[in-house]
Amino acid sequence: GTVRLSIKQQPFELWIADDVSEQTQGLMFVTAERMSPLPDGTERGMIFAFDREHALNFWMKNTIIPLDIAYLDSDGLVVATYTMAPLDERSGQYPSGSPAQYAIEVNAGVWGRIGLRPGDAIEIPSPVRKRWP
């Protein structure tokens, strides 16, 4: 499924990855066309929801477009952001640094354009948050 949310007044429509198979697949093989903003300017991406906070570390295996990632703790506080290079399979390149429960991936450059930084808060929508007690 998908969820809509706003981050710094920018609307997003995010695919929800909340089970191991969806989280493993992530945005692998997704094309730039599929990630193109919607006609109304809504950006696309994916939100990864885990059952608890823990150290997260993403890589870009089979991901053919550059992405921005934001790691968030259980309260929606941004703990780290990165711009990730396509097809970068080096393990350990994009760690959360602090325990995180969520990760949001969007097109590269979006976080810089809207000014998202560690310490900012993002309201996690209830359809994502309610999956975990």
Side-chain angles (χ1 to χ4, degrees), residues 4-14 36-44 106-107 109-111 113-116 122:
R4 285 185 160 252
L5 70 143
S6 181
I7 302 171
K8 295 193 169 266
Q9 292 81 47
Q10 170 64 56
F12 288 86
E13 182 175 280
L14 305 174
S36 294
L38 299 171
D40 67 359
T42 299
E43 290 283 347
R44 292 186 179 172
V106 297
N107 285 307
V110 171
W111 296 153
R113 181 171 51 78
I114 67 172
L116 186 75
I122 297 173

Side-chain angles (χ1 to χ4, degrees), residues 6-133:
S6 181
I7 302 171
K8 295 193 169 266
Q9 292 81 47
Q10 170 64 56
F12 288 86
E13 182 175 280
L14 305 174
W15 292 289
I16 302 169
D18 61 357
D19 68 36
V20 173
S21 65
E22 292 168 338
Q23 292 165 350
T24 301
Q25 180 71 25
L27 292 173
M28 286 183 183
F29 306 109
V30 173
T31 62
E33 292 77 25
R34 187 150 180 240
M35 284 288 287
S36 294
L38 299 171
D40 67 359
T42 299
E43 290 283 347
R44 292 186 179 172
M46 181 170 278
I47 185 166
F48 297 78
F50 300 92
D51 63 348
R52 61 182 171 77
E53 286 185 338
H54 60 284
L56 296 176
N57 191 357
F58 280 45
W59 64 345
M60 295 286 284
K61 181 177 182 179
N62 298 320
T63 306
I64 58 177
I65 58 173
L67 298 172
D68 281 353
I69 189 168
Y71 293 108
L72 293 75
D73 69 13
S74 61
D75 294 322
L77 189 70
V78 177
V79 298
T81 64
Y82 296 95
T83 297
M84 303 185 295
L87 304 173
D88 185 352
E89 294 187 31
R90 296 172 295 162
S91 180
Q93 292 301 301
Y94 308 108
S96 61
S98 298
Q101 187 167 354
Y102 305 98
I104 300 175
E105 291 181 338
V106 297
N107 285 307
V110 171
W111 296 153
R113 181 171 51 78
I114 67 172
L116 186 75
R117 292 180 172 67
D120 290 343
I122 297 173
E123 185 174 338
I124 304 299
S126 60
V128 175
R129 189 177 286 282
K130 74 179 182 183
R131 286 171 159 69
W132 314 112

